[in-house]
């Protein structure tokens, strides 16, 4: 049995973009990532969409610029672990979905006036924002319904889905 950790974070030095996401969603986080331990190199590895691309970094590097707010441990069988690792490496260095982020802004604005719309800039796997990337991983892990479009999931939505699945926050006391 393997595990991944789904984490929610914010930057140590918040940008306007970070502040807007947290304000719009009413959360203490604006970013979602997954991490796992690679014992053979004695490192925790963070996998995420940030800094204009899908990327890997060590826990130590991540902690130098981010504050972890919540983390959830997801157990995986060996085949699902393999499928997630294949997905991660196959999608590494794909571009960050800048237009998709603008689409999330549109979705939020429409919600303010009672309109439910889909993200007008879906990328269908050509690029990723953090929540889309982790939603696809959690679809592989059978935590997120595969009928849900990852193009429409933001960090708040993903956090809600994880909690509804009964996965406990490992940082809560």
């Amino acid at each position: 049995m393997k595990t991944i950790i789904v984490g929610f974070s914010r930057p140590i030095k918040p940008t306007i973009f970070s502040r807007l996401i947290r304000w719009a969603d009413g959360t203490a986080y604006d970013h979602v990532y997954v991490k796992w331990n690679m014992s053979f190199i004695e490192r925790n590895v963070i996998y995420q969409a940030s800094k204009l691309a899908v990327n890997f970094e060590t826990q130590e590097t991540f902690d130098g610029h981010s504050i972890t707010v919540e983390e959830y441990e997801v157990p995986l069988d060996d085949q699902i672990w393999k499928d997630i690792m294949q997905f991660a490496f196959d999608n590494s260095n794909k571009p960050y979905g800048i237009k998709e982020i603008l689409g999330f802004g549109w979705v939020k604005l429409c919600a303010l006036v009672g309109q439910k719309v889909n993200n007008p800039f879906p990328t269908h796997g050509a690029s990723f924002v953090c929540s889309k990337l982790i939603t696809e991983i959690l679809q592989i892990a059978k935590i997120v319904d595969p009928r849900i479009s990852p193009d429409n999931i933001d960090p708040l939505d993903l956090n809600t889905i994880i909690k509804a699945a009964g996965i406990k926050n490992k940082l809560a006391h």
Side-chain angles (χ1 to χ4, degrees), residues 8 21 39 60 72 101 160:
F8 294 84
I21 293 170
S39 59
E60 183 178 355
Y72 299 85
I101 285 292
T160 302

Side-chain angles (χ1 to χ4, degrees), residues 47 49 53-54 86-98 100 119 121-137 139-140 148-152:
Y47 180 66
V54 174
Q86 288 173 336
F87 173 88
F89 282 91
D90 289 347
N91 288 286
S92 180
N93 210 35
K94 282 194 176 176
Y96 190 83
I98 294 171
E100 196 162 11
N119 191 322
F121 303 117
T123 63
H124 310 293
S127 64
F128 290 92
V129 296
C130 65
S131 54
K132 176 182 179 166
L133 183 71
I134 307 315
T135 296
E136 291 202 21
I137 286 174
Q139 284 176 326
I140 295 167
I148 294 174
S149 171
D151 290 305
N152 291 322

Side-chain angles (χ1 to χ4, degrees), residues 50-117:
S50 70
K51 302 179 185 91
L52 303 179
V54 174
N55 61 76
F56 297 91
E57 67 181 321
T58 65
Q59 179 81 57
E60 183 178 355
T61 303
F62 182 81
D63 290 345
H65 61 77
S66 297
I67 297 167
T68 298
V69 177
E70 296 179 27
E71 286 191 330
Y72 299 85
E73 190 170 69
V74 179
L76 307 168
D77 70 31
D78 289 342
Q79 184 59 51
I80 290 176
W81 167 260
K82 178 182 174 184
D83 293 345
I84 288 172
M85 291 300 109
Q86 288 173 336
F87 173 88
F89 282 91
D90 289 347
N91 288 286
S92 180
N93 210 35
K94 282 194 176 176
Y96 190 83
I98 294 171
K99 283 175 55 176
E100 196 162 11
I101 285 292
L102 296 174
F104 277 125
W106 176 249
V107 170
K108 297 281 183 193
L109 284 173
C110 289
L112 288 174
V113 295
Q115 297 294 314
K116 183 171 172 56
V117 298

